[in-house]
Amino acid sequence: GWRRVSLRLPGDRLALDDERRLALRVKPNVSVLCVEGRRGAARYWADALNPAGGVDSAIRVETIADSELASARLDAFDAVVLCNVAEFTRREARRLDAYARAGGGLAFFLGDRVRPPRYNAELGRLGEGEQAGRGGAASPFRFAKQRMPTPVRLIAESGERWLLPVTVGDPVTQEMLGVDPLDYRHPIAAPFRGRERAGLLTTPVERYFRLKVSSAARGAEVVLASAAGDPLMVASPVGGGRVVVVATAGSLASVDPATGRPWTLMPVWPSFVPIARETLRWVAGAAVEQRPPLVGQPISGRLIDLSAVATQVVRPDDAREPAGGESDGRGWRYDRTDLAGFYSLTTADAPADLAAEPISLAAVNPEPAESDTTRLDPGRLPAELAVRRAATEAGVGDPAISAPVGIHRGLLLAALGLVLIETWLAYRFGRGAA
């Protein structure tokens, strides 16, 4: 269930920032939906994540055919793995896009059934010279980009919308033994560092799609590359979620017609199980790694079974206010986060009991920049703010911000002149009197 986590420091003169909070949802297991473009395409993925096939495993896997994707409840899963799915309808593409931006994880394993033009047209972000495939059709996604961690979403960005961080090109046949982990920079490949005998460096790949990382995919990284330098695995954040695209197949069912051999032996190679699990860890970990929202930022979340039920938000001051709804009717939103603390979403008829399990929970923290006591350079202040000389406790102005006054030098010169004149006059008249 939902857990409230707080970190408190000893009190000081600014008590508002002495505590920071985090809302965590502890789940009994990690749920994964595998979508097969042909029967058995997700078999190796399912076996790698849940070898025993038990329902009480730490990773629960459910496998469906691609024809069931349009009606599947994606919100019930932490990650969705799509294996050799030929193409996507406009409705399926929108559902996958909304799922990823709501904090979900997507992993695409390509294969011999994949139609690159349909992937680029329905899932890609087109522009800047990238072709759509059939007739250069424009991408259907032209909405405001949203960043949505689970359980809250921050609405902060706007711009082009895309789901795939790559453009899928033509398949390439190039017999090679091994892949390049690119210095193990990405978290998916990092666990293989120092374990060169784990099989990653010798993974056979004979056929793959040539991927081009999209210039619009901010934060996209190449995880693994081919011997020729082509991207084999690309990972990227998308909204509040994450997406991974693997250029080759995730099973042995994809066969090169020219050679009669599988595209790759990765699914039966020793490195496949850790690759599958580290990929799941990364794509499903976006919600855990997101920072809580700050005071003044709106919070929102997704509803699975309670979209038609009236909901309300319990504020940190125990006041209750109705939660606003999202345009798709499956989400909630609350904008008046003027207090730091926990905001819980409950049904309108729920009892006023903090021990009751909320539908969703969000932790809102104060802006940490307001706690920085480092002296600010006056030159960085806005032009509307004038810096004036202020007296300190000792009554002396701060020379760092005090403007120099020219009269001090004049008075000193005048006093020096008087001393010299007095000395001369004393000498002159004193000698005469003598």
Side-chain angles (χ1 to χ4, degrees):
W2 287 102
R3 295 293 178 262
R4 294 172 170 85
V5 182
S6 298
L7 173 65
R8 297 181 181 89
L9 298 177
D12 55 18
R13 298 177 64 182
L14 183 60
L16 186 63
D17 67 342
D18 293 344
E19 180 179 0
R20 296 195 73 80
R21 305 162 185 87
L22 181 67
L24 289 177
R25 186 181 183 185
V26 182
K27 299 182 179 181
N29 50 44
V30 177
S31 56
V32 181
L33 178 66
C34 291
V35 183
E36 296 181 319
R38 73 152 51 101
R39 188 175 182 85
R43 165 194 164 193
Y44 295 94
W45 254 92
D47 289 345
L49 299 179
N50 187 357
V55 295
D56 58 346
S57 173
I59 302 177
R60 182 178 61 87
V61 181
E62 181 177 333
T63 302
I64 63 173
D66 57 353
S67 58
E68 304 175 73
L69 178 60
S71 59
R73 289 174 47 191
L74 302 183
D75 291 343
F77 297 92
D78 300 293
V80 178
V81 181
L82 303 111
C83 299
N84 203 11
V85 177
E87 59 183 334
F88 300 91
T89 65
R90 180 70 55 86
R91 181 169 181 267
E92 292 169 343
R94 288 177 184 252
R95 296 192 72 218
L96 292 174
D97 178 79
Y99 169 76
R101 297 181 186 279
L106 294 176
F108 293 86
F109 261 80
L110 307 183
D112 58 356
R113 289 176 56 86
V114 168
R115 300 178 182 178
R118 299 302 300 160
Y119 269 65
N120 297 332
E122 299 299 340
L123 303 179
R125 183 268 193 190
L126 304 180
E128 302 182 12
E130 298 174 7
Q131 298 299 319
R134 296 181 180 178
S139 170
F141 300 122
R142 301 291 180 186
F143 311 115
K145 184 186 294 184
Q146 297 177 342
R147 184 175 288 175
M148 178 179 170
T150 304
V152 297
R153 179 176 64 202
L154 308 185
I155 313 297
E157 294 183 305
S158 61
E160 297 285 356
R161 190 131 180 186
W162 51 271
L163 181 59
L164 284 187
V166 298
T167 300
V168 183
D170 296 328
V172 177
T173 300
Q174 182 177 355
E175 184 175 351
M176 61 181 179
L177 182 64
V179 299
D180 183 1
L182 302 176
D183 296 328
Y184 308 97
R185 293 190 298 264
H186 195 272
I188 296 178
F192 288 92
R193 184 188 302 275
R195 297 177 173 88
E196 285 72 17
R197 299 178 61 183
L200 179 64
L201 302 180
T202 59
T203 305
V205 179
E206 288 195 13
R207 190 169 175 85
Y208 59 91
F209 285 99
R210 181 159 285 161
L211 304 180
K212 176 185 177 184
V213 180
S214 174
S215 58
R218 299 180 181 89
E221 295 183 60
V222 179
V223 181
L224 303 174
S226 69
D230 295 323
L232 280 182
M233 176 184 284
V234 179
S236 176
V238 175
R242 293 170 175 174
V243 174
V244 167
V245 182
V246 182
T248 190
S251 73
L252 303 183
S254 294
V255 177
D256 185 353
T259 63
R261 294 193 296 266
W263 281 34
T264 177
L265 295 181
M266 180 187 295
V268 295
W269 216 247
S271 59
F272 183 72
V273 171
I275 284 179
R277 296 207 167 202
E278 293 302 328
T279 300
L280 173 62
R281 181 195 301 271
W282 189 80
V283 297
V288 178
E289 298 178 15
Q290 287 283 356
R291 291 186 176 183
L294 303 178
V295 170
Q297 294 179 332
I299 57 177
S300 61
R302 306 294 293 177
L303 300 174
I304 298 177
D305 299 323
L306 301 173
S307 56
V309 176
T311 56
Q312 61 182 1
V313 172
V314 181
R315 293 166 43 86
D317 55 4
D318 294 333
R320 296 186 172 221
E321 294 183 353
E326 295 287 4
S327 58
D328 59 3
R330 297 291 302 279
W332 64 277
R333 177 184 171 111
Y334 184 73
D335 296 321
R336 207 168 71 86
T337 57
D338 54 337
L339 296 177
F342 292 101
Y343 292 76
S344 59
L345 181 75
T346 64
T347 57
D349 57 352
D353 184 4
L354 290 179
E357 180 72 10
I359 300 173
S360 187
L361 185 68
V364 176
N365 290 310
E367 168 61 60
E370 297 176 358
S371 306
D372 189 356
T373 58
T374 305
R375 181 182 296 277
L376 183 66
D377 181 7
R380 296 176 55 191
L381 294 175
E384 294 80 6
L385 296 179
V387 179
R388 299 183 181 276
R389 183 170 180 263
T392 64
E393 296 180 358
V396 181
D398 188 345
I401 60 174
S402 300
V405 181
I407 192 172
H408 294 164
R409 178 176 296 180
L411 291 175
L412 289 175
L413 291 175
L416 179 61
L418 289 175
V419 170
L420 294 176
I421 292 174
E422 182 183 11
T423 304
W424 181 79
L425 289 175
Y427 172 79
R428 175 72 180 270
F429 291 106
R431 182 179 179 184

